[in-house]
Amino acid sequence: MEDILAGFDPASAADWKAQLTKDLKGITFEQLSRIDDNGITIEPFYTVENVDNHDTVPVFAHTDWSIMERIIVAEEPVANQQALQALSTGASGLIFEVEGTTTDWAVLLRDVEVAYIHTFFNLKQASAASVAALKAYLEAHHAQQATIGHDALYDFVQGSADAASFAVAVSLIAEHTGQIVVDGSLYYNAGATSVYQLGLIAAQVNEYLQALSDQQSLDKVQQLHVTVATGTAFFEEIAKVRALKQMLELLTSQ
């Protein structure tokens, strides 16, 4: 088949800038650039010339993303129906926000095929016995994609917990879950810049790693679960996600 684009000359970034100035009657490319809250200059457009490595894999090239529905667990039967409804209408994963200290996991997860979907259990006040019961349930149902935990530092920053709560959370990680959970959405929702968000998320991860190292339990960590909120500044948010991935690799490789 003939390539219909072969008859057109390629346009460079300089060509686009010249055309922009012409169409906007003298307004230049530089005048349309702006500096965001992070002190980064955002250009009106980007071309392949802005990419140092043209073989860079796009951030959205993954095919294993899950559409997660958040379920607040107050009563297990009600939450179970909400979860089943979400899965039947497009969700491919579930986030359970569990407030209580004990939960009937069999009722909550009735007919939920946890072996085939990603599930995250945010256990805010769960006892060690309740966590152990959940782990046993998930193991019995071959739920390899399940994540269990809670970010105690999230509560601490909000003022709803103290240092003792953090110590308890670290002990649960070491003894039961083996999973560090960090929720960085708090900082985005509070108005922090992307750079500040990344710094605070990295500090939280490091705090957990250091606390587990002090307990000589760092080898028990099996997974790191980080939540990050994103906004509508497309290029900035992609860069934030890329930078976060690199930062976590640096932190966990030491």
Side-chain angles (χ1 to χ4, degrees):
M1 181 181 293
E2 183 180 357
D3 185 1
I4 63 173
L5 298 178
F8 296 89
D9 294 329
S12 66
D15 295 330
W16 281 107
K17 291 178 182 179
Q19 188 64 42
L20 180 149
T21 302
K22 177 182 177 182
D23 291 343
L24 297 182
K25 304 183 185 305
I27 296 177
T28 65
F29 179 86
E30 288 71 22
Q31 287 176 297
L32 293 175
S33 301
R34 65 179 180 85
I35 299 177
D36 68 6
D37 294 336
N38 301 290
I40 300 172
T41 300
I42 305 299
E43 310 292 3
F45 64 80
Y46 295 88
T47 69
V48 71
E49 296 176 27
N50 296 103
V51 182
D52 293 331
N53 180 5
H54 294 181
D55 296 326
T56 300
V57 178
V59 71
F60 296 119
H62 299 279
T63 59
D64 57 348
W65 292 61
S66 295
I67 301 173
M68 307 288 285
E69 180 79 10
R70 189 181 300 273
I71 307 294
I72 306 298
V73 181
E75 299 179 9
E76 291 91 331
V78 175
N80 172 259
Q81 290 303 308
Q82 292 174 342
L84 294 176
Q85 175 67 17
L87 292 172
S88 66
T89 54
S92 56
L94 298 168
I95 300 173
F96 290 104
E97 299 281 354
V98 183
E99 300 282 354
T101 56
T102 60
T103 303
D104 190 331
W105 304 113
V107 173
L108 176 63
L109 300 173
R110 181 180 294 127
D111 297 326
V112 176
E113 300 290 346
V114 290
Y116 305 103
I117 64 171
H118 181 78
T119 49
F120 171 46
F121 297 87
N122 188 7
L123 309 182
K124 297 184 178 182
Q125 304 179 63
S127 63
S130 184
V131 175
L134 175 58
K135 284 191 65 179
Y137 181 95
L138 296 174
E139 290 174 2
H141 290 78
H142 310 288
Q144 301 297 323
Q145 302 179 63
T147 304
I148 307 171
H150 178 63
D151 185 3
L153 287 175
Y154 180 96
D155 296 334
F156 184 79
V157 172
Q158 285 191 314
S160 58
D162 53 20
S165 299
F166 176 65
V168 171
V170 170
S171 297
L172 282 174
I173 294 170
E175 298 172 14
H176 295 280
T177 68
Q179 299 175 352
I180 296 175
V181 173
V182 172
D183 189 347
S185 63
L186 171 68
Y187 308 119
Y188 173 87
N189 294 329
T193 64
S194 293
V195 172
Y196 200 51
Q197 291 172 54
L198 291 173
L200 292 170
I201 291 171
Q204 281 196 225
V205 173
N206 185 67
E207 187 68 21
Y208 279 111
L209 293 175
Q210 187 60 53
L212 288 163
S213 178
D214 292 343
Q215 290 189 9
Q216 298 182 339
S217 302
L218 196 56
D219 58 334
K220 296 182 180 179
V221 177
Q222 302 173 0
Q223 190 175 21
L224 174 61
H225 183 103
V226 177
T227 298
V228 56
T230 58
T232 57
F234 189 71
F235 295 116
E236 178 183 332
E237 298 299 347
I238 288 178
K240 182 173 74 176
V241 173
R242 288 185 180 277
L244 176 62
K245 180 179 178 181
Q246 295 182 25
M247 288 171 54
L248 295 178
E249 288 178 349
L250 285 172
L251 280 171
T252 56
S253 64
Q254 297 178 1

